Amino acid sequence: MRMKNLYYTLLAATCMFLLASCGILGKKDGKGKGSSLPNDGQVHGVAPGSKYTLPRPPGMVYVPQGTFHMGPSDEDPAYAFSARNRSVSISGFWMDATEITNNEYRQFVYWVRDSIAARKAGFVKTGADGEEHVDWTKNEDLQVE
């Protein structure tokens, strides 16, 4: 009798070990290892995330991508066809919403050049109001005339 009980106990322990190693025992919600993907041996990947969109820079407008034809018009009076039309594609880009002339930009660069030089030299300090100011008392020869 004792040998028979030992065989039954050994058989039950072996079956429990095999069922546990195959993943049949210990499944959570019947899906295996707590995963929501099916356990069929295939690579399923992950769900696609939301598409990232670049935030709009302040004061800028987006110019979408496009294609235009560059070259002579359809009316070639001499029928020379010396320059053929060609199609040019451009990517989308951001552009400033307001126009400025080269002279206006030159004036802007003239007025900020001393502050750029002061920042590179380390003469910028933060005032009581939290704004950054150039400390001209540190170096008088940094001023541009």
Side-chain angles (χ1 to χ4, degrees):
M1 240 350 174
R2 196 163 228 233
M3 203 62 154
K4 198 173 189 181
N5 285 341
L6 182 63
Y7 285 129
Y8 284 133
T9 306
L10 249 146
L11 181 65
T14 306
C15 287
M16 291 289 280
F17 176 73
L18 287 175
L19 291 175
S21 67
C22 292
I24 296 173
L25 289 179
K27 283 188 178 180
K28 297 175 184 165
D29 299 330
K31 297 188 179 172
K33 298 188 179 160
S35 173
S36 62
L37 297 174
N39 190 10
D40 59 357
Q42 300 296 318
V43 177
H44 292 282
V46 294
S50 61
K51 184 177 178 183
Y52 176 75
T53 55
L54 218 61
R56 181 177 173 252
M60 304 289 265
V61 275
Y62 184 71
V63 179
Q65 68 181 9
T67 304
F68 67 94
H69 298 284
M70 184 170 64
S73 65
D74 289 339
E75 298 178 18
D76 189 8
Y79 296 105
F81 296 113
S82 58
R84 301 269 184 200
N85 282 347
R86 64 182 208 163
S87 182
V88 178
S89 298
I90 58 168
S91 302
F93 58 94
W94 291 96
M95 187 168 66
D96 198 1
T98 58
E99 296 178 10
I100 63 166
T101 63
N102 287 343
N103 195 26
E104 290 170 331
Y105 183 70
R106 190 176 301 112
Q107 184 180 5
F108 166 75
V109 170
Y110 174 78
W111 285 107
V112 299
R113 69 180 181 195
D114 54 352
S115 61
I116 293 171
R119 183 174 302 278
K120 290 202 181 266
F123 298 130
V124 175
K125 66 176 181 178
T126 304
D129 55 356
E131 298 273 330
E132 289 185 340
H133 303 284
V134 176
D135 186 12
W136 293 113
T137 59
K138 283 189 176 178
N139 193 349
E140 280 77 23
D141 57 88
L142 186 63
Q143 294 181 5
V144 179
E145 297 187 16

